[in-house]
Amino acid sequence: QSVLTQPPSASGAPGQTVTISCSGSNSNIGVNTVNWYRQLPGTAPKLLIYLNDQRPSGVPDRFSGSKSGTSASLAISGLQSEDEADYYCAAWDDSLNGYVVFGGGTKLTVL
Amino acid sequence: QVQLQESGPGLVKPSQTLSLTCTVSGDSVTSGGYYWGWIRQHPGKGLEWIGYTYYRGNTYYNPSLKSRATIFVDTSKNQFSLRLTSVTAADTAVYYCTRDVIFDSWGPGTLVTVSS
C-alpha cells in the first residue's frame, strides 16, 4: 500500500491528452513539492517534473505538472507511442521524522 | 553530464549484509550540495526510497529500513555506498543509486537476489 495514490493504469490514443493523478495528504503533498518520474520498460526511472511543475532540460513541454491541495497531476499532451511507460509521483512526507514517499505507479498504454 | 553506476554482488545469502557501491563520474560527491542515495524496486513492483546522505554527514532513511540501512560517502574514490544488514528474500530487488533529493540522475540499476 503506497502512501501516495495513483491509478494503476491509464490510456489514450496518439495525439490525445492524458492526465495522471497522485493523491496524498497534509503531511506530504499538502505541504511539500511533488516530482514525477517516467520508467520505460527495462530501464531506470527518469526525472520528468520537479517542484510540482518544473521540467528538467530536455523534457518536452508536452509534459506538465500541477498541484492543488493534497493532490498533484501529470498531463501528457500530444500522446506518442514512446510515452508508453510507468509513471511515478513522489514527495517528502513530514511524518516519522521525514522520508520520501512514492505513488504506486501508473502504467500508461498508448492505444 | 553526471553518470552513476552501481556495483556489488548479485546474490546475497539470507541474514548476511548487502553491500553496494555507486561510482560517480562527471561530478563530485562533494560539489553542488547534492544528496546521494538509493532507491529499490522489487520485481514487478513500484519504487521504494531507501535513503540519502550528504557527504558531510546528514543522512536520512526510510523508517521501514532505518535500523538496517547505512549510506555513506567515500570522497577519495568519488563513490557512495549502501549497506543493508540482516537481509531476507524480501530485500530481493533492483537497487538504483541516485543524485539529489529530486533524483535527477539514476544509475542503470543492479539486481540483488537474496537466496541461499
Side-chain angles (χ1 to χ4, degrees), chain A residues 35 37 39 43-47 50-51 88 90 92 95-104, chain B residues 39 41 45-49 52 60-63 66 96 101-109:
Chain A
N35 307 316
Y37 305 88
Q39 185 175 31
T43 69
K46 173 188 172 183
L47 179 65
Y50 66 102
L51 295 177
Y88 295 91
W92 182 261
S95 64
L96 300 174
N97 293 321
Y99 66 116
V100 175
V101 292
F102 280 95
Chain B
I39 289 169
Q41 186 170 33
K45 302 296 184 182
L47 302 171
E48 180 183 27
W49 179 70
Y52 47 51
Y60 299 86
Y61 296 104
N62 190 321
K66 184 174 182 179
Y96 297 100
V101 297
I102 62 171
F103 315 133
D104 64 351
S105 293
W106 297 63

Side-chain angles (χ1 to χ4, degrees), chain B residues 78-95:
Chain B
N78 211 37
Q79 296 175 334
F80 60 101
S81 298
L82 167 70
R83 292 179 62 187
L84 189 65
T85 61
S86 305
V87 297
T88 70
D91 294 308
T92 293
V94 174
Y95 286 76

Side-chain angles (χ1 to χ4, degrees), chain A residues 11-52:
Chain A
S11 63
Q16 287 188 334
T17 296
V18 168
T19 300
I20 298 172
S21 63
C22 176
S23 177
S25 68
N26 288 324
S27 64
N28 43 65
I29 294 178
V31 291
N32 294 305
T33 57
V34 178
N35 307 316
W36 290 90
Y37 305 88
R38 178 170 78 169
Q39 185 175 31
L40 298 171
T43 69
K46 173 188 172 183
L47 179 65
L48 209 54
I49 297 288
Y50 66 102
L51 295 177
N52 301 328

